[in-house]
Amino acid sequence: MTSAKTFPASAAPKFASIGSPYFGILLAVMAVVLILSNIGASKGVAIGPIITDGGFFLFPLAYILGDVISEVYGFKVARKAIITTFGLSVFASLCYWVIIALPGFDDEFGASKQAALEGALGPVPQIVLASLLAFVAGQTINSWILVKMKARTGEKSLWARIMSSSVAGEFVDTLIFCSIAASVIGITDLGMFVNYVLVGFLYKTLVEFLFVPVTALAIGWIKKREPSYGA
């Protein structure tokens, strides 16, 4: 009578190195999404009773990309992606400041363009501060939880990792961002602020939940094509 094979309770989690082109593409898209979200977030948006900002449809994509990077490449690489995205967003904000400060044409068209730039990009530095602090905190928590859960479950329970880490990361992110950015967007009373926080958190989390199948497929696709995954 042969004895059944025994396996360790949890094998070491598998990750890939960043030598292939896939990580660079994911990082570039994440940075672009965050920069565009910062611009869109300077506009307050009211859809019926719902209060949000113009970047609401973009920002969840940054977290989906963060999930992919964390799952495939691990926490240390995800942290590098967060820091790099942070730096590029700061650079973009400095560029907006220079563009606004440069002397423009004195005619009516030049004055209207200057006013439009100041109105659209002027509030962005505070929005960037709110977004970056929120992004760094939320993404770090999101990545840390996902990788810690992967250390326990290995390749199993991917959906649970994505959903659990998203709830924690999005809540921290939304609370920090809304607390700093509310005054720039035009939110002045407690009721509007609570609405803004709850709508932002529920919306972002719902979008991530709805995209879990797509996120899982993207993760599986990259894992199969990453030569170093699990090596």
Side-chain angles (χ1 to χ4, degrees), residues 102-157:
L102 288 172
F105 296 150
D106 295 330
D107 59 8
E108 183 179 349
F109 178 75
S112 65
K113 292 290 288 183
Q114 178 69 17
L117 281 170
E118 290 176 359
L121 301 181
V124 165
Q126 188 170 339
I127 295 293
V128 168
L129 174 64
S131 178
L132 291 181
L133 292 178
F135 178 78
V136 169
Q139 278 282 12
T140 301
I141 289 172
N142 178 74
S143 177
W144 185 82
I145 291 175
L146 189 148
V147 172
K148 283 293 183 182
M149 291 181 68
K150 185 174 182 178
R152 295 183 179 181
T153 61
E155 296 297 303
K156 299 178 180 179
S157 305

Side-chain angles (χ1 to χ4, degrees), residues 46-221:
I47 305 174
I50 298 174
I51 297 173
T52 182
D53 58 64
F56 77 96
F57 66 97
L58 276 171
F59 195 74
L61 295 178
Y63 268 78
I64 292 171
L65 291 166
D67 287 337
V68 175
I69 291 173
S70 299
E71 173 68 22
V72 176
Y73 301 98
F75 180 70
K76 290 184 179 179
V77 173
R79 187 171 56 192
K80 290 180 182 179
I82 294 167
I83 294 171
T84 302
T85 303
F86 177 96
L88 291 172
S89 296
V90 171
F91 175 72
S93 185
L94 292 174
C95 288
Y96 303 149
W97 179 80
V98 172
I99 291 168
I100 291 172
L102 288 172
F105 296 150
D106 295 330
D107 59 8
E108 183 179 349
F109 178 75
S112 65
K113 292 290 288 183
Q114 178 69 17
L117 281 170
E118 290 176 359
L121 301 181
V124 165
Q126 188 170 339
I127 295 293
V128 168
L129 174 64
S131 178
L132 291 181
L133 292 178
F135 178 78
V136 169
Q139 278 282 12
T140 301
I141 289 172
N142 178 74
S143 177
W144 185 82
I145 291 175
L146 189 148
V147 172
K148 283 293 183 182
M149 291 181 68
K150 185 174 182 178
R152 295 183 179 181
T153 61
E155 296 297 303
K156 299 178 180 179
S157 305
L158 175 60
W159 283 39
R161 289 198 294 278
I162 295 173
M163 296 172 77
S164 300
S165 61
S166 296
V167 169
E170 289 289 11
F171 178 76
V172 171
D173 183 292
T174 305
L175 184 60
I176 294 174
F177 178 82
C178 293
S179 298
I180 300 173
S183 61
V184 176
I185 295 170
I187 295 172
T188 55
D189 61 68
L190 181 60
M192 293 177 67
F193 176 76
V194 172
N195 186 319
Y196 187 36
V197 172
L198 290 178
V199 168
F201 169 67
L202 293 174
Y203 166 76
K204 293 172 186 175
T205 305
L206 178 61
V207 169
E208 286 212 53
F209 282 7
L210 291 175
F211 274 85
V212 164
V214 178
T215 305
L217 285 173
I219 287 171
W221 189 90

